Amino acid sequence: MNSYKESHDLLDICKLAPVIPVLVVDDTASAVPLAKALIGGGLRVLEITLRTKNALDVIKEMVANTTEGIIGAGTLLSEEDVYAAKNAGASFGVSPGITDQILRACAEVKLPLLPGAATPSEVMNLLARGYSVQKFFPAESNGGIAALKSILGPIPGVSFCPTGGVTSTNALDYLSLKNVPCVGGSWVAPQNKIKNADWQAITELARQAYSLNEHFNT
Ligand code: 3PG
């Protein structure tokens, strides 16, 4: 798969829901109820960060037990992470930045990648390699909405999923930008609610996040 194709796949994925939950999960028993809670609220695209010991098992559980979920692996830092994510059944990968190794490994195993960029040079470098859908990370500490507006002028051909500091308070402002089809964030699945198995509360947060769509479909 070339990167142009991957980028288009990513755009389709990004358009499925306005928010991609960024999940840090270690307890495999939480995997399926958490995924179902989020999907029940309308958020079908989930990013499971490879930041916990059991993250790959969490991905496997979600992939095996949810039919509507599009399960991705986040925090890809190396080729090994890419191979492990693919083997676990991830449908896409997310990386906070890029390396040649990660891009090569994703192309090799045909894992669509949402690659991270934070500066115009990084955005241009990725665009030159065919990645027209990128993760703007860390969004808030890199200028947030103002930075994305400034990038839109000279580099209009890139769509961004801003992540890092995006919350229920500022998500709508991000989504109102022409170059932002979706945002990513952890606020829809807070650690304490996962720990307390408060799936109803997580579904409600997901529902509220999904309803951000209403502002664009009227
Ligand atoms: C991350 O990779 O941690 C994401 O950017 C999530 O950031 P957030 O916790 O600020 O939503």
Side-chain angles (χ1 to χ4, degrees):
M1 187 186 297
N2 65 36
S3 50
Y4 290 96
K5 172 78 168 66
E6 286 170 23
S7 240
H8 286 299
D9 288 344
L10 248 308
L11 192 55
D12 292 342
I13 289 173
C14 286
K15 285 179 176 168
L16 286 174
V19 178
I20 299 179
V22 177
L23 305 173
V24 181
V25 196
D26 194 36
D27 177 17
T28 48
S30 300
V32 175
L34 173 59
K36 287 189 171 166
L38 290 162
I39 295 166
L43 304 183
R44 294 176 55 198
V45 183
L46 311 180
E47 174 189 337
I48 293 77
T49 60
L50 299 192
R51 286 185 219 165
T52 65
K53 193 163 52 70
N54 294 318
L56 291 166
D57 287 331
V58 168
I59 292 173
K60 285 181 195 161
E61 283 287 310
M62 288 182 176
V63 169
N65 295 291
T66 60
T67 45
E68 287 173 72
I70 313 285
I71 311 298
T75 325
L76 300 182
L77 299 178
S78 65
E79 290 170 284
E80 289 70 29
D81 288 343
V82 172
Y83 298 139
K86 180 73 181 183
N87 288 337
S91 298
F92 67 98
V94 185
S95 60
I98 56 152
T99 64
D100 290 339
Q101 289 84 348
I102 288 179
L103 295 184
R104 207 170 28 237
C106 283
E108 180 193 333
V109 300
K110 299 183 174 32
L111 185 69
L113 177 69
L114 182 63
T119 66
S121 293
E122 291 167 6
V123 171
M124 288 167 63
N125 185 17
L126 278 168
L127 184 60
R129 293 161 177 246
Y131 289 89
S132 59
V133 186
Q134 304 175 12
K135 161 170 159 143
F136 182 58
F137 177 80
E140 279 292 284
S141 42
N142 272 299
I145 290 159
L148 283 169
K149 269 190 196 162
S150 302
I151 289 172
L152 178 61
I155 318 175
V158 179
S159 299
F160 293 97
C161 172
T163 311
V166 181
T167 65
S168 58
T169 312
N170 59 15
L172 186 57
D173 290 333
Y174 274 104
L175 289 165
S176 302
L177 299 177
K178 252 174 71 182
N179 53 351
V180 175
C182 69
V183 300
S186 61
W187 87 89
V188 283
Q191 285 302 309
N192 64 335
K193 295 205 178 352
I194 297 176
K195 196 157 167 245
N196 296 333
D198 196 348
W199 311 127
Q200 223 175 327
I202 289 177
T203 295
E204 186 46 38
L205 287 168
R207 203 169 278 141
Q208 286 164 15
Y210 183 75
S211 73
L212 291 167
N213 257 347
E214 289 165 11
H215 297 269
F216 306 101
N217 293 336
T218 50

